[in-house]
Amino acid sequence: MNQVLKIAVQKSGRLNEKSMELLKECGIKINNGGKLMSTASNFPLEIFYLRDDDIPQYVAEGVADIGIVGENEYLEKQQPVEVINRTGFSKCRLSLAVKREEDYTGLSWFSGKRIATSYPVILRNFLEKNKIEATIEVISGSVEIAPGIGLADAVFDIVSTGSTLLANGLREVEVVLKSEALLVANTMLSASKKELLAKLLFRIEAAKSAKQNKYILLNAPNDKLDTIKKLLPGMRSPTVLPLAEEGWSSVHSVIKEDEFWEVIDQLKEQGAEGILVCPIEKMIV
């Protein structure tokens, strides 16, 4: 019987969208399935659609082999799963927030206060680490309304843009955790499933590398080639081809996206012309 790798993803929301987009970037075609499960047509993969906070348990118990879950849920649930890959998407932070009018003076302000949260484990660990005694009010949803209705003095919750806090008269005062989506795995995978996971990870890394880099082509005067090659090292070294016009060459290379604008300015200073920057669909390093 052929082995199939079972992956759990969030059933709806941004994390679902990003997870499915990642699988698509890996060249995996997902068949239209039901609300709970679907399969891939060109890779031995089954996709389970679950609540984000249930994924660590399902992976730990072997119902799913791997899962894509927010780092916040991974830390909160404390399930014995292995972190395989940090995806780089669905980034957010878990922060402490107080009423906008409060005279916040530092962490000691929370001593003796009531803090509403859906993440009591992470919050309790943070408070104990900083030797703060506070009451934790556990709420399953709409944490941000707690101070306004008198249930708590502050909140500890996920923050992306901060607009929800602002709308509820709160302001962020302490970032406790920076979170992103993680790929986690069951710790007892069979050898055959580990082999499938390795193949999937290879595709994931190729897709991630492609997003982080750009393909660049330019025309350069030959007397500036040595300097330009140092600016564009590429994966090993740039490709340099002679142009029909004497004294000029075409240079092809790869550039990291976060270095893009700084390097472009330096290339122009060295006389580079006709600079083209293109996205990379896949990048095997």
Side-chain angles (χ1 to χ4, degrees):
M1 182 177 177
N2 293 331
Q3 287 281 1
V4 175
L5 195 64
K6 296 176 289 186
I7 182 171
V9 302
Q10 189 181 43
K11 63 181 180 180
S12 61
R14 287 186 61 194
L15 185 52
N16 168 274
E17 294 170 5
K18 290 292 185 179
S19 299
M20 301 309 288
E21 181 181 319
L22 176 63
L23 294 178
K24 183 179 179 181
E25 289 168 353
C26 291
I28 296 173
K29 297 178 181 178
I30 310 298
N31 296 320
N32 292 328
K35 292 183 178 180
L36 298 179
M37 191 188 82
S38 57
T39 60
S41 61
N42 60 345
F43 191 89
L45 191 71
E46 289 181 349
I47 302 93
F48 296 162
Y49 303 105
L50 306 170
R51 283 170 51 98
D52 188 33
D53 53 358
D54 288 336
I55 291 175
Q57 180 180 353
Y58 275 73
V59 174
E61 295 180 355
V63 177
D65 301 311
I66 60 176
I68 299 176
V69 64
E71 188 170 1
N72 51 308
E73 294 295 348
Y74 161 73
L75 293 173
E76 181 65 25
K77 298 307 178 183
Q78 297 188 314
Q79 292 287 336
V81 297
E82 182 181 359
V83 176
I84 299 298
N85 190 274
R86 304 185 71 89
T87 67
F89 60 72
S90 292
K91 292 186 177 182
C92 63
R93 56 194 183 273
L94 265 67
S95 297
L96 286 158
V98 303
K99 291 181 180 179
R100 198 179 308 154
E101 64 271 16
E102 287 287 352
D103 182 20
Y104 180 74
T105 54
L107 283 177
S108 60
W109 182 92
F110 292 101
S111 295
K113 299 293 196 301
R114 294 173 300 161
I115 308 172
T117 186
S118 300
Y119 299 95
V121 173
I122 298 174
L123 177 57
R124 188 176 297 112
N125 290 340
F126 176 78
L127 294 175
E128 289 177 356
K129 179 181 177 182
N130 289 279
K131 297 179 172 58
I132 297 169
E133 291 188 9
T135 300
I136 298 175
E137 301 286 353
V138 182
I139 301 177
S140 60
S142 300
V143 170
E144 62 278 352
I145 69 170
I149 62 176
L151 180 62
D153 303 297
V155 302
F156 175 63
D157 202 14
I158 289 178
V159 179
S160 293
T161 64
S163 59
T164 302
L165 293 179
L166 188 64
N168 286 275
L170 303 174
R171 61 187 175 98
E172 184 179 11
V173 292
E174 299 286 344
V175 176
V176 174
L177 170 71
K178 291 185 177 179
S179 175
E180 64 181 288
L182 305 176
L183 180 66
V184 299
N186 181 276
T187 57
M188 302 296 289
L189 291 182
S190 65
S192 57
K193 291 202 172 186
K194 285 181 179 178
E195 186 177 341
L196 289 177
L197 176 56
K199 290 179 179 179
L200 179 61
L201 283 172
F202 178 80
R203 296 188 184 201
I204 288 174
E205 287 303 320
K208 285 171 64 177
S209 294
K211 279 191 171 183
Q212 294 165 1
N213 293 274
K214 300 290 185 184
Y215 188 73
I216 185 168
L217 306 85
L218 57 88
N219 297 330
N222 288 344
D223 59 353
K224 298 290 185 179
L225 280 178
D226 287 342
T227 302
I228 287 174
K229 284 191 288 185
K230 289 177 182 177
L231 293 172
L232 295 172
M235 288 185 287
R236 187 175 297 274
S237 66
T239 299
V240 179
L241 302 171
L243 291 179
E245 183 177 345
E246 189 174 343
W248 284 78
S249 294
S250 174
V251 180
H252 301 219
S253 191
V254 172
I255 183 172
K256 288 189 177 297
E257 189 167 27
D258 56 4
E259 299 172 358
F260 171 72
W261 290 111
E262 180 182 351
V263 172
I264 291 297
D265 289 339
Q266 293 180 59
L267 291 171
K268 291 177 65 178
E269 289 173 4
Q270 296 300 318
E273 297 179 358
I275 301 172
L276 299 178
V277 180
C278 308
I280 300 172
E281 185 174 341
K282 299 290 184 294
M283 182 171 168
I284 313 300
V285 295

